[in-house]
Amino acid sequence: MFTDDTAHNAAVNTKAALEGCGHTVTQVGVDTSADVSGTDVSGYDAVVVVRCLDDLAGTIEAAVNQKWITSGASDGPKPLLMAEIDPNHSTGINASAMAAAVGFADRIRFEQNSGTKGRDLNVTDVSHPITAFLGSTGTYQVMVGTNWVGTVPSGDAYAGTSLAVGPAGDTGAGEVQLTAVETGTTLIGGVGTAGARGVLWGNLYAGQTDYSATGKTLLCSIITWLTAPAGGWLLGA
């Protein structure tokens, strides 16, 4: 798991939630000057990026372009879960390449904490394995409190399947907040195709306020889908 600071609450809470699902998590703390292109992710099941947008330039290129789209490990591209991407939020970022790498033409907006931002998620599709456990569409509290959240600005293109949008009352109401990208999906911006499954979840960085019970289950469900065989798990009789 790539984080801006391994002691940051978002990193601590996400690690704890993943461990609660039974996963082993290795954290890699990086900053603006870090070059993680050589970080060996061979043997790991997935790559998770929980980072603040002020300092993600080199890390995103390595963790996304190399380790998800191309064969950044000896055992192939890795499934990817990451939070919001906002290449316009700070300088020094290859905006078109980075946004396109995760399947967005522009960005996922990084919104200020206010009202219910970062706390709730309006699930619009429960036919997908990630959200099926909820049983019905509607607004769910996925974080204990409010914080930062990412949404795709209204009208922007995106790759993959939208599963949830910003809840009513938020600045990003109705904007895509959770999307699942299947292996082989053509990404926006001409940077190729997804080398493995990917999920972008705008609430991920809001984990600074910790996940609710539903949020923890959703996080576990995301990882289960990311790492499942393309045809799904074969269950014995």
Side-chain angles (χ1 to χ4, degrees):
M1 183 170 74
F2 292 102
T3 67
D4 32 11
D5 181 352
T6 57
H8 192 290
N9 283 344
V12 171
N13 293 334
T14 300
K15 181 175 184 289
L18 289 171
E19 289 174 339
C21 302
H23 299 291
T24 300
V25 180
T26 298
Q27 291 194 84
V28 179
V30 294
D31 56 29
T32 52
S33 61
D35 177 7
V36 297
S37 60
T39 302
D40 186 7
V41 294
S42 301
Y44 290 95
D45 294 324
V47 170
V48 178
V49 180
V50 182
R51 291 184 52 74
C52 177
L53 302 183
D54 290 323
D55 53 7
L56 53 63
T59 302
I60 291 300
E61 183 171 1
V64 178
N65 278 349
Q66 183 198 36
K67 303 184 190 310
W68 181 48
I69 295 176
T70 62
S71 296
S74 60
D75 50 354
K78 297 295 178 179
L80 172 77
L81 167 62
M82 47 190 325
E84 64 288 317
I85 296 301
D86 185 352
N88 299 324
H89 184 71
S90 50
T91 59
I93 299 174
N94 184 341
S96 61
M98 293 306 97
V102 292
F104 291 88
D106 184 13
R107 65 194 185 281
I108 293 187
R109 178 184 295 145
F110 196 42
E111 294 184 332
Q112 183 94 11
N113 172 21
S114 175
T116 60
K117 286 187 178 67
R119 191 193 72 180
D120 299 331
L121 187 66
N122 182 13
V123 177
T124 55
D125 183 351
V126 291
S127 66
H128 194 280
I130 288 176
T131 50
F133 76 94
L134 293 168
S136 61
T137 59
T139 298
Y140 293 87
Q141 182 173 341
V142 294
M143 300 293 169
V144 171
T146 61
N147 219 295
W148 306 96
V149 67
T151 61
V152 181
S154 181
D156 279 6
Y158 63 91
T161 301
S162 172
L163 304 180
V165 299
D170 276 3
T171 304
E175 296 180 344
V176 176
Q177 199 163 313
L178 173 65
T179 183
V181 182
E182 185 57 85
T183 305
T185 298
T186 299
L187 301 178
I188 297 168
V191 295
T193 60
R197 285 176 169 174
V199 169
L200 284 98
W201 185 17
N203 295 92
L204 192 62
Y205 200 74
Q208 327 182 180
T209 58
D210 209 355
Y211 300 87
S212 68
T214 298
K216 291 177 181 178
T217 302
L218 178 58
L219 181 60
C220 295
S221 184
I222 288 172
I223 297 298
T224 296
W225 180 76
L226 284 175
T227 57
W233 295 106
L234 178 63
L235 303 179

